[in-house]
Amino acid sequence: MIIPESELKAFLHNHQANPHGWLGMHPAKVKRKSGVVVRAFRRDAAKCSVVELDAPGQPAWPMEKLADEGFFEVFIPGKKIFHHQLRFETSWGDIHQVYNAYSFLPTLSEQDLYLFNEGNEHRIYDKLGAHPRKLGDVPGTAFAVWAPAASRVSLVGNFNGWDARYHPMRPLGGSGVWELFVPDVGEGELYKFAVWDAHGHMRLKTDPYGTRFEGPPNNAAIVHSPRHHTWGDGEWMARRAAQAGNPDRPMSVYEVHIGSWKRNLAEAGRCFTYRELAPMLADYVTDMGFTHIEVMPVAEFPFPGSWGYQVTGYFAPTHRWGTPEDFQFFVDHLHQRGIGIIVDWVPAHFPRDAFALAEFDGTHLYEHADPRLGAHQDWGTLIFNYGRHEVRCFLVASALSWLDRYHIDGLRVDAVASMLYLDYSRKEGEWIPNRYGGRENIEAIAFLRQVNDLVHHYYPGVLTIAEESTAFAKVSHPTSEGGLGFDYKWNMGMMHDTLLYFQKDPVHRKWSHDKLTFGMVYQYSEKFIMVYSHDEVVHLKGSMLAKMGAGTLADKAANLRALYGFVWTYPGKKLLFMGSEFGQRTEWNYDIGLEWQLLQHPEHEGLRLLVRDLNRLYLSEPALSTTDFRPESFRWVNGNDGDHSTISFLRFDAEGRTAWLVVGNFTPVTRTRFHVGVPHKGYWREVLNTNSSYYGGAGFGNHGGRPASTIPSDGFEQSLSLTLPGLSVLVFKWSADAPV
């Protein structure tokens, strides 16, 4: 035995931190004879020998078995390092010839490691994790994981009986990265990392860069290449790139939770897979006129009740609805049908699950050690340490990987407000000021700017959207102008104001009229998306229909139609959560499908038809969809008529050839001969009336339109004498090209 008994004992008890230093083949001198020593560890081998591949017919060198666990060694005098394999025989007589995992050079270069430690390796997802590949002509999988404080790391999986002694990994200098290429391990193998901390305690961790995972409770990563799908969306991708730098374009988004949009009732209500759902969802979204869908988080997550917002697999579509290729099919199909896809991305926090990122190497590696910086009190989760280069590199790579591997068109960044402020949801004494004594999270702000710039640099036309609920300045302004660099910001203020208004009994709305108008004070400070998201229909908030301040179903539906009419014609892009388009009666439940059976009732089908027609109107008229960020395209006609709870405004196209008048009456009282001022003489055609019987209303209106009279009103020299049905919004169009 050449290896010291103490080292062999240390190896067998998992106390060896650098296996490449003595496993495999190494130059050696024994009793003044030079040669090579070969060591191997094969858990299933009764006998083992070394075969020289470049010398066919050369007899194999039998190895001495030094431990019953399968540790073998041989000294071969007079030889230098040579190309070899191990030939081993099992106790049941099978003979195998394999490559030695410890005879390969590292699969990461010094440049890879330098850029990663610096925080600038933007494609680190192609380096860390598990990557099936060939080294020369040898197939296998390259594994790498970042665990700088670990005393040793081993790869475990179903290929080695989950025994941490059989594939210890090597540290790559001072980079904190551990690496191992394992021959003959291919796609489909389950694996984790056994990570020992500085005190010798072992943690079994799943791969932070894993591309596929099995479900709970085991949560193992699966060796998988996400590069198999043959994409057919080239035309879509070219059109998307051509739209780069033009945020003021039609955008109406349908927010979807994949597991509960629709269920397969013929099979006990199971979830549809990505592949099954793609054509159904595409048909529906196309018919409804939405331009995009936004899917709630699809990155792997263990707890269904988190809806995907507590992520443990930042690079992998969740296993719940299919494989990575199934998700790629889903995206590809939507693109080929002309539908964009935005995904919710969650860099603000991560869960404390012991198998995932928390205390990954025995230290607070991805999170802050101080809970005043590192713990989210609202959600019981942990906050990323954005000041650490490798953590920032991890998150940037996650964002870019979804755009690269899955052709995603936009990232809606969740909980941005919680990232911007160190005192977010904290009392005095529960947070630590920044280095200037302020409450802003300087590192998080720098990270958001970096990821937005890189997304736009590498993938022109891809959108980034901030869910940001405060008055933080310049969220949707370029970083070159001191902004955060997002393309859009959710308009949370207008959402809350309008819902507060429509929740009131119409008798009391006059006292809250400012809720409809205050949003214009800040409307052009950001590039806003008007949103009614899943957050508004959970946690006992009631569905959109249930929120409406009315007693009967018919009145609730009329209120909701009026709200949608107001919002779709008001400046800003649009987003609506699934089910809200037809007036889902109950709160959203992630574990069951939507109440599609309600569409047999006219109130619900009418709502759906209205949303469809609002989308079609929005898409067909540039004045309503490409002037959202031009203040001169909007003008109040009368925003002060709180006594009657009416409101009116104008939208104009860029050339001044068309004008749109929107009039809302938000009490049940039908008002006749109601004069509304207009800027142009001629005929104003009524193009939409939320009170139409087609939408489930009473059918009162203006017989297709009205000519402007010479009666002055609202500061204009002419006006329209209108019938305003109760709880309704009416839309009129004037065109310079129309006959007078």
Side-chain angles (χ1 to χ4, degrees), residues 111-424:
Q111 179 76 353
D112 294 332
L113 299 172
Y114 175 81
L115 290 174
F116 172 60
N117 291 142
E118 189 184 57
N120 289 321
E121 176 46 85
H122 304 147
R123 295 283 196 284
I124 193 64
Y125 56 84
D126 284 334
K127 312 291 176 63
L128 297 185
H131 299 281
R133 59 183 298 183
K134 282 187 175 182
L135 289 188
D137 59 352
V138 181
T141 297
F143 296 89
V145 63
W146 180 55
S151 59
R152 58 193 182 280
V153 179
S154 285
L155 175 70
V156 295
N158 54 1
F159 47 85
N160 64 13
W162 301 93
D163 191 327
R165 295 173 297 177
Y166 289 98
H167 286 99
M169 304 177 75
R170 73 171 139 208
L172 298 181
S175 67
V177 174
W178 301 71
E179 181 267 354
L180 183 67
F181 176 76
V182 184
D184 301 319
V185 168
E187 294 198 48
E189 298 283 4
L190 304 178
Y191 71 97
K192 288 186 180 181
F193 297 111
V195 182
W196 281 264
D197 64 21
H199 305 289
H201 301 123
M202 192 269 280
R203 291 167 168 81
L204 202 58
K205 293 288 190 176
T206 197
D207 186 358
Y209 289 85
T211 55
R212 186 180 176 189
F213 291 88
E214 68 169 346
N218 294 324
N219 302 295
I222 303 173
V223 176
H224 188 86
S225 170
R227 302 290 187 183
H228 297 308
H229 181 75
T230 301
W231 290 90
D233 62 350
E235 291 185 10
W236 169 270
M237 298 291 278
R239 288 197 304 272
R240 188 185 77 182
Q243 292 178 319
N246 177 31
D248 205 357
R249 58 184 189 261
M251 186 173 175
S252 184
V253 183
Y254 187 55
E255 188 188 16
V256 175
H257 179 263
I258 286 178
S260 59
W261 180 70
K262 190 173 284 189
R263 294 290 185 102
N264 189 334
L265 300 180
E267 298 183 26
R270 72 164 175 86
C271 296
F272 286 109
T273 66
Y274 297 119
R275 287 182 183 269
E276 293 171 329
L277 198 62
M280 292 187 291
L281 188 57
D283 288 345
Y284 184 74
V285 169
T286 300
D287 177 66
M288 289 295 293
F290 290 100
T291 63
H292 294 72
I293 68 166
E294 178 182 315
V295 292
M296 293 169 67
V298 293
E300 191 61 81
F301 58 99
F303 176 47
S306 77
W307 314 331
Y309 290 98
Q310 295 192 10
V311 179
T312 54
Y314 274 80
F315 297 82
T318 179
H319 70 283
R320 288 169 174 81
W321 307 305
T323 66
E325 285 72 38
D326 294 333
F327 183 63
Q328 288 166 326
F329 174 90
F330 177 81
V331 176
D332 202 353
H333 186 84
L334 289 171
H335 281 176
Q336 293 183 50
R337 298 288 299 276
I339 303 163
I341 177 169
I342 300 162
V343 299
D344 279 10
W345 184 56
V346 190
H349 62 124
F350 60 93
R352 298 172 182 265
D353 298 73
F355 68 87
L357 295 180
E359 297 185 17
F360 190 83
D361 62 358
T363 67
H364 297 280
L365 185 61
Y366 287 88
E367 69 273 26
H368 292 274
D370 192 321
R372 293 174 295 174
L373 293 171
H376 254 309
Q377 301 185 56
D378 287 352
W379 305 314
T381 52
L382 299 171
I383 300 171
F384 284 104
N385 183 349
Y386 305 105
R388 191 159 196 171
H389 299 319
E390 295 89 350
V391 173
R392 192 169 62 252
C393 199
F394 168 83
L395 290 171
V396 166
S398 170
L400 296 177
S401 74
W402 290 99
L403 313 180
D404 173 16
R405 293 168 170 171
Y406 300 102
H407 290 201
I408 296 303
D409 303 296
L411 300 173
R412 177 267 195 183
V413 182
D414 180 64
V416 170
S418 75
M419 300 172 66
L420 297 177
Y421 299 104
L422 295 166
D423 63 346
Y424 180 85

Side-chain angles (χ1 to χ4, degrees), residues 566-587:
F566 175 73
V567 169
W568 251 259
T569 53
Y570 190 86
K573 310 312 172 187
K574 322 299 177 189
L575 179 142
L576 189 65
F577 183 58
M578 64 181 198
S580 300
E581 78 277 14
F582 63 76
Q584 171 109 347
R585 294 190 187 183
T586 60
E587 286 192 345

